[in-house]
Amino acid sequence: MQSTLFTLVLAGLLQAMPAMAAETPLRAPSGPAVPVADATGEPIPLWPAGQVPGERGSARTPHVVERSADPTRPERYVDQVDAPWLVVHAPMHPNGKALLVIPGGGYQRVVIDKEGTDLVPDWVDRAGYTLFVLRYRLPEAGRDRQAALADAQRAMRLIRAQAPRRGLQPDSVAVMGFSAGGHVAARLATGFDTPAYPARDAADRLSARPARAILVYPVIDMGAQAHAGSRQRLLGAQPDAGLVTGYSMQQQVTRGMPPTLLLHAADDTVVSVDNSLLMAQALAAHGVEHELHVFAHGGHGFGMRTPPGSTTALWPAIAQRWLQPDQEQQP
């Protein structure tokens, strides 16, 4: 079993390659892949069959790896995402609010549990949020760097299109991203109206602007404070100044972006807290409503797995209050 797991993990690692825009796909034409059952929940293909923008080659079967030896505490990830999809977690007693969740994984993989399925008990079962967890495309040779933004835009529009039949409020759909997924969420919050793909259907006439954004230990900067792995996979080994600026989210802030909540641990040694500090400074300079919460402890990638007695464990309550601005007390 250990040998098999090692082989799967190694295969996943070998899939990660720096992103570059290319006109010719590396894969021969074929039919679209079917979303794998990587988590409980309802899978929804993000794009019409065979119409994933830029993916003219064969869609590989998504590759799921389990890194935990404890069956009660899974720690899975997925890569080889060529036909992106959403996993919907719907509560029995919905509060009418939808949340697009974008997990992290260093632009090398998309984690499944810590920043996905682990949200369900608190966010879905107890708080009543309907979660749409995104399995987005990752950078690799032959793929446009805008693929993840296209997937996030499409996800936001698809959620809005489905909101009425699900009893959700289309205008209140928010986004929450973690780590590299926080970079994708920040790209959506700053570039929701950036043309990233040609329209596919009626859903693409809807706005991709999130009502609110939550960025949890996010990758923001592609310069001095960059997470080296994310930068290399997305921009290549030696990106020029234009790419660095274009993908440093603090440089892309505008007054028209949604209110933004930043959550980070001061002792994060993977993605420096300076990423959130830079973003907060940019939001303040542009007059964008925001909050910044820096916890003393927590490291990187804590997700929903925080010590119960720690102040870091309060982050879901802070985020849920942020998503309910009508309930905030006025001065």
Side-chain angles (χ1 to χ4, degrees), residues 36-98:
V36 296
D38 62 24
T40 57
E42 174 192 356
I44 300 177
L46 199 61
W47 304 93
Q51 296 187 41
V52 183
E55 300 295 322
R56 293 170 291 172
S58 62
R60 297 163 294 184
T61 300
H63 175 225
V64 179
V65 173
E66 170 62 88
R67 294 181 288 182
S68 172
D70 183 352
T72 67
R73 198 175 175 83
E75 191 174 344
R76 295 166 294 170
Y77 72 77
V78 61
D79 59 14
Q80 293 187 174
V81 178
D82 299 332
W85 72 100
L86 290 162
V87 178
V88 186
H89 300 283
M92 291 187 62
H93 305 288
N95 65 7
K97 302 281 188 178

Side-chain angles (χ1 to χ4, degrees), residues 220-221 225 250 262 273-283:
I220 295 294
D221 186 43
Q225 302 301 328
Q250 79 274 17
L262 295 152
V273 69
D274 287 331
N275 282 262
S276 286
L277 296 176
L278 288 169
M279 190 65 169
Q281 291 169 359
L283 292 166

Side-chain angles (χ1 to χ4, degrees), residues 19 26 61 75 77-78 89 91 112 117 125 147 153 165 185 191 197-198 202 276 286 306 315 317-318 320-321 329:
L26 301 180
T61 300
E75 191 174 344
Y77 72 77
V78 61
H89 300 283
I112 292 173
T117 59
D125 299 337
Q153 288 182 350
R165 73 174 180 83
Y197 65 92
S276 286
H286 287 80
T306 54
W315 83 259
I318 294 170
Q320 289 169 20
R321 179 60 61 88
Q329 294 183 357

Side-chain angles (χ1 to χ4, degrees), residues 60-245:
R60 297 163 294 184
T61 300
H63 175 225
V64 179
V65 173
E66 170 62 88
R67 294 181 288 182
S68 172
D70 183 352
T72 67
R73 198 175 175 83
E75 191 174 344
R76 295 166 294 170
Y77 72 77
V78 61
D79 59 14
Q80 293 187 174
V81 178
D82 299 332
W85 72 100
L86 290 162
V87 178
V88 186
H89 300 283
M92 291 187 62
H93 305 288
N95 65 7
K97 302 281 188 178
L99 184 61
L100 170 61
V101 178
I102 309 182
Y107 276 122
Q108 183 176 16
R109 58 181 70 91
V110 180
V111 302
I112 292 173
D113 297 299
K114 270 197 309 185
E115 299 159 0
T117 59
D118 284 4
L119 296 167
V120 172
D122 186 275
W123 288 79
V124 179
D125 299 337
R126 286 192 285 272
Y129 287 90
T130 301
L131 303 186
F132 293 78
V133 185
L134 181 60
R135 305 287 185 252
Y136 54 96
R137 285 173 291 165
L138 299 162
E140 62 177 53
R143 178 171 287 161
D144 194 320
R145 292 186 182 90
Q146 293 288 58
L149 174 61
D151 291 346
Q153 288 182 350
R154 173 68 179 181
M156 183 60 64
R157 291 170 172 140
L158 201 60
I159 294 168
R160 286 207 162 103
Q162 295 193 3
R165 73 174 180 83
R166 293 179 180 271
L168 302 171
Q169 302 163 14
D171 293 339
S172 70
V173 183
V175 65
M176 179 165 67
F178 300 81
S179 194
H183 190 258
V184 178
R187 290 168 70 184
L188 177 64
T190 58
F192 55 87
D193 56 355
T194 298
Y197 65 92
R200 293 293 190 255
D201 52 33
D204 289 325
R205 293 196 292 268
L206 300 175
S207 173
R209 182 185 184 274
R212 294 198 155 220
I214 300 171
L215 308 180
V216 189
Y217 40 83
V219 172
I220 295 294
D221 186 43
M222 287 290 153
Q225 302 301 328
H227 174 244
S230 294
R231 178 175 58 192
Q232 179 168 346
R233 293 177 194 110
L234 184 61
L235 304 184
Q238 295 181 321
D240 61 35
L243 276 177
V244 170
T245 298

Side-chain angles (χ1 to χ4, degrees), residues 3 20 37 112-113 270 272:
S3 175
M20 61 182 72
I112 292 173
D113 297 299
V270 178
S272 168

